[in-house]
Amino acid sequence: MLITCDCQHLKQEMKCSASKISEGNTKKCLSCDDECSRLERNRKLALALNIDPEAHKDDHVPYSIETLRCFRESSKWAQQQEREFRVFAADEAEKRLRFKPMPSHQRTFLHSLAEDFGFDSESMDPEPHRHVAVFKTPRFVMAPMKTLAECVRIRLNAEAVAASAIEEQRRIRSNNEAFNSFLLTHPRFGLTVEELRSELAAHLEATPGLAFDISFLPSEEIVIKARPASASTTISPTSIEAAVKTMKLAMANTISTKKFASSCQLCTLDPSLNILRRELDLSGTTDGWSRVAANAAAPRSAPKQLGVGQKSVYTVLGSRLKEAKKKKEAIEKAKAEEPVVDDWEEEVRREEEEKEGGSGGVEQDARKDEHTVNGVETNTGDTSTTNVA
């Protein structure tokens, strides 16, 4: 038989043990625990405030990290197995669930999910027929209210919030740390550490008690980090910052003159050469009128009024384009209306005859002009001349 607490939250299977002379365990019930009290308080509060508990679930994740990890690796297959678990949990008559043979990593997911549901699980038979069997036990109360997909989203959101909080704390902490290095951006191609050190030796050796290490970063930037010259020397971060600030102007002029890099700025490096703070990052934290002026809109100007009879450039351009378009359409229409010749050889022969006939007429006109000189026309076949009035 199944005995429960007064709020029906806790459940446990027990033997009935009832007989004619004894009621056995039929009148027994479980005592509510702290979780039952919390759920009852939440129920009364939701009822008083007219809140739907299903629409306002907390961020509690009832699954283990191993279960969520396996779910992320194969979410579609894992959702199918979760569905079978929920059907099995909802059927009170079913006490055992057997899965088909599967690889070891999939069996690991089933064992982990069974533990989260409150089931017992066992792997049976040798490979390749090894499979998982799941059993209901007194530990099982009900299936988790949240699905694996919901819990994965909750966990991802929590990780994103935590990451943003850590990044914000790191940024705030880095803004308070002193500068200890120079950062060269977009260095010249082929620039070497030896060349850079030899050209900047006058600046790097001018500060007693400090030594400088030159390193190339994966971002193709160069850092020149200041450090105490010896292990026995102790220099405060504030003193290092003051020293690099004093050196910056001369360093930047030399780097610009030699064209070693596009810019030279101060930065803060950790022992692993990670950039915690850049000098240019301070420009994004300024407030006041400078930020307002930077975000100001472009000045507005009144539209220019055209004189009487003047046309806009856009109007003239539009009319020219329109005329060109009309001419193009007329040419295409003429080509489309031109008749198509069936026998092209006959058409070519006819055109050649027309050209020959035209050239013959021209020759006749030329010969006729030869007989007319200074206004006097000479008739062929007759020796007489005629004066032209």
Side-chain angles (χ1 to χ4, degrees):
M1 60 175 292
L2 190 67
I3 61 175
T4 63
C5 61
D6 293 338
C7 66
Q8 305 294 318
H9 176 66
L10 300 178
K11 299 178 182 179
Q12 183 178 350
E13 283 186 343
M14 295 185 67
K15 291 184 178 180
C16 179
S17 302
S19 62
K20 293 181 179 180
I21 59 175
S22 174
E23 295 180 353
N25 296 325
T26 56
K27 298 296 184 180
K28 287 186 177 181
C29 64
L30 299 176
S31 299
C32 292
D33 57 4
D34 294 339
E35 182 67 16
C36 297
S37 302
R38 187 185 68 83
L39 294 176
E40 182 63 19
R41 288 195 303 269
N42 291 343
R43 187 190 67 81
K44 291 180 179 180
L45 184 61
L47 184 62
L49 299 177
N50 195 21
I51 297 176
D52 184 11
E54 293 297 326
H56 296 79
K57 296 180 179 179
D58 57 10
D59 293 339
H60 173 65
V61 177
Y63 301 100
S64 64
I65 298 177
E66 179 67 17
T67 303
L68 297 179
R69 184 189 63 79
C70 296
F71 178 82
R72 290 183 184 183
E73 293 177 355
S74 182
S75 58
K76 187 175 181 180
W77 174 85
Q79 284 179 342
Q80 297 176 355
Q81 312 310 316
E82 180 188 7
R83 191 177 302 112
E84 293 190 19
F85 268 76
R86 293 189 177 278
V87 172
F88 174 63
D91 192 349
E92 297 181 356
E94 291 292 335
K95 301 297 181 182
R96 181 177 180 180
L97 176 63
R98 185 188 298 270
F99 290 87
K100 64 181 181 180
M102 58 185 62
S104 175
H105 67 278
Q106 294 181 349
R107 296 198 304 268
T108 301
F109 170 75
L110 295 181
H111 289 302
S112 181
L113 186 60
E115 181 68 21
D116 296 332
F117 270 72
F119 298 148
D120 281 348
S121 60
E122 183 181 356
S123 294
M124 299 182 176
D125 295 340
E127 297 287 358
H129 306 290
R130 196 163 183 78
H131 63 279
V132 176
V134 178
F135 309 91
K136 287 182 179 177
T137 63
R139 293 190 304 112
F140 169 70
V141 178
M142 60 181 299
M145 298 297 296
K146 298 175 184 176
T147 63
L148 283 169
E150 292 175 347
C151 292
V152 167
R153 286 195 295 268
I154 291 173
R155 185 60 59 84
L156 291 177
N157 292 336
E159 291 176 356
V161 172
S164 62
I166 294 174
E167 180 64 22
E168 182 66 18
Q169 293 177 0
R170 188 194 67 80
R171 187 184 66 81
I172 295 173
R173 185 173 61 255
S174 63
N175 287 340
N176 297 328
E177 294 183 358
F179 291 121
N180 59 3
S181 306
F182 297 98
L183 176 66
L184 309 185
T185 60
H186 301 95
R188 189 188 69 196
F189 179 76
L191 183 64
T192 62
V193 174
E194 291 75 12
E195 180 183 2
L196 194 61
R197 185 176 293 279
S198 62
E199 295 292 340
L200 300 178
H203 305 294
L204 300 181
E205 297 174 359
T207 305
L210 285 181
F212 293 87
D213 296 329
I214 302 176
S215 304
F216 284 83
L217 299 181
S219 59
E220 298 183 357
E221 296 173 321
I222 301 176
V223 290
I224 306 175
K225 185 179 180 181
R227 60 173 177 81
S230 61
S232 59
T233 306
T234 302
I235 302 178
S236 64
T238 306
S239 300
I240 295 178
E241 182 178 24
V244 295
K245 283 184 176 180
T246 304
M247 298 170 55
K248 183 196 171 184
L249 182 59
M251 289 273 293
N253 291 336
T254 304
I255 290 172
S256 177
T257 303
K258 300 291 185 178
K259 296 182 180 181
F260 289 152
S262 61
S263 67
C264 174
Q265 57 179 297
L266 300 177
C267 68
T268 304
L269 295 179
D270 63 3
S272 300
L273 297 182
N274 296 316
I275 300 177
L276 304 179
R277 179 189 178 195
R278 296 172 183 254
E279 186 178 14
L280 296 181
D281 293 342
L282 299 177
S283 60
T285 60
T286 57
D287 293 322
W289 176 248
S290 299
R291 175 175 293 185
V292 176
N295 295 331
R300 297 183 180 181
S301 59
K304 184 178 180 180
Q305 299 294 334
L306 298 176
V308 179
Q310 293 183 352
K311 291 185 178 181
S312 173
V313 178
Y314 304 103
T315 305
V316 176
L317 181 59
S319 61
R320 291 179 179 177
L321 292 176
K322 189 174 182 180
E323 292 177 0
K325 185 177 180 181
K326 286 184 178 180
K327 289 181 180 180
K328 184 177 179 181
E329 292 178 352
I331 293 173
E332 292 178 353
K333 184 177 181 181
K335 289 182 179 180
E337 293 178 355
E338 185 177 354
V340 180
V341 180
D342 294 335
D343 191 354
W344 63 272
E345 294 180 349
E346 180 66 22
E347 182 66 17
V348 170
R349 186 184 61 78
R350 186 180 64 79
E351 290 179 356
E352 291 178 353
E353 291 179 354
E354 290 180 356
K355 290 181 180 180
E356 291 176 357
S359 61
V362 172
E363 292 176 356
Q364 292 178 2
D365 294 339
R367 287 195 297 270
K368 184 177 180 180
D369 292 338
E370 291 176 357
H371 295 294
T372 304
V373 180
N374 297 326
V376 178
E377 181 179 356
T378 305
N379 294 328
T380 58
D382 192 355
T383 59
S384 63
T385 62
T386 305
N387 293 329
V388 179

